Amino acid sequence: MIALDTNILVYAVSPGGDPRHAQAAAIMERLFLVSAIIPLQVLGEFLNVAQRKTIIDSDIARQRVEEWLPLFDTAVTDAADLLEAARVSRSSKIQFFDALICTIAGRSGARHLLSEDIQDGMVIGTLTILNPFNPTNQDRLDALIKPLR
């Protein structure tokens, strides 16, 4: 299973210009072919970023989340996740909320987290971070998410 970090969602809805927009949009389309998860923490961060940075109108951001909810598995945060994320943050030297996303994704059965923000290739428990915008990861990404034909 693959999990998504906030930056993938943000790039997918950002107006053109940035080449990561097209890549992220294509990734989102391809993820319908596999089992993918978006932690609720990520959806909340997406709504916050969309509003704070005015990437897109907040009503449109909310509509996107409403569209994604039935298409992807979601995972909620529980009390044990908070404590584990604190441990992961300290031991892996990553930001707490990134550690929380990793913790939730790993507990939910994800083996890969697509993220630009966390160190590419980092392994946290059974979860491997994969930067989908790193060209050297393209073959691995294609193996995880079968290309559309």
Side-chain angles (χ1 to χ4, degrees):
M1 184 179 308
I2 299 170
L4 296 174
D5 196 358
T6 309
N7 49 58
I8 308 302
L9 303 181
V10 170
Y11 286 129
V13 302
S14 296
D18 189 326
R20 292 172 291 192
H21 164 71
Q23 289 175 284
I27 288 168
M28 293 294 290
E29 288 178 18
R30 292 167 60 193
L31 282 174
F32 299 129
L33 302 174
V34 298
S35 183
I37 187 167
I38 302 177
L40 288 179
Q41 169 77 25
V42 167
L43 293 173
E45 286 182 11
F46 168 77
L47 290 169
N48 183 52
V49 169
Q51 181 176 1
R52 192 181 76 238
K53 294 188 177 182
T54 60
I55 301 166
I56 59 173
D57 180 79
S58 59
D59 288 335
I60 294 172
R62 191 184 74 251
Q63 288 172 350
R64 286 295 176 105
V65 169
E66 289 174 358
E67 292 168 5
W68 292 329
L69 281 170
L71 299 174
F72 296 98
D73 291 333
T74 56
V76 298
T77 306
D78 62 31
D81 293 329
L82 292 175
L83 299 175
E84 178 63 11
R87 186 195 65 73
V88 168
S89 175
R90 187 177 60 251
S91 66
S92 298
K93 297 181 177 37
I94 61 174
Q95 296 290 323
F96 173 78
F97 285 107
D98 289 337
L100 184 58
I101 290 167
C102 291
T103 298
I104 296 164
R107 176 183 48 80
S108 300
R111 295 295 166 247
H112 294 87
L113 174 68
L114 302 185
S115 177
E116 183 184 49
D117 293 339
I118 305 170
Q119 181 184 339
D120 190 26
M122 177 181 270
V123 176
I124 299 172
T126 59
L127 186 73
T128 301
I129 311 305
L130 184 66
N131 181 347
F133 307 115
N134 180 343
T136 63
N137 289 335
Q138 193 59 54
D139 289 342
R140 190 169 183 192
L141 185 62
D142 286 343
L144 292 171
I145 309 170
K146 305 293 183 238
L148 292 174
R149 294 179 188 190

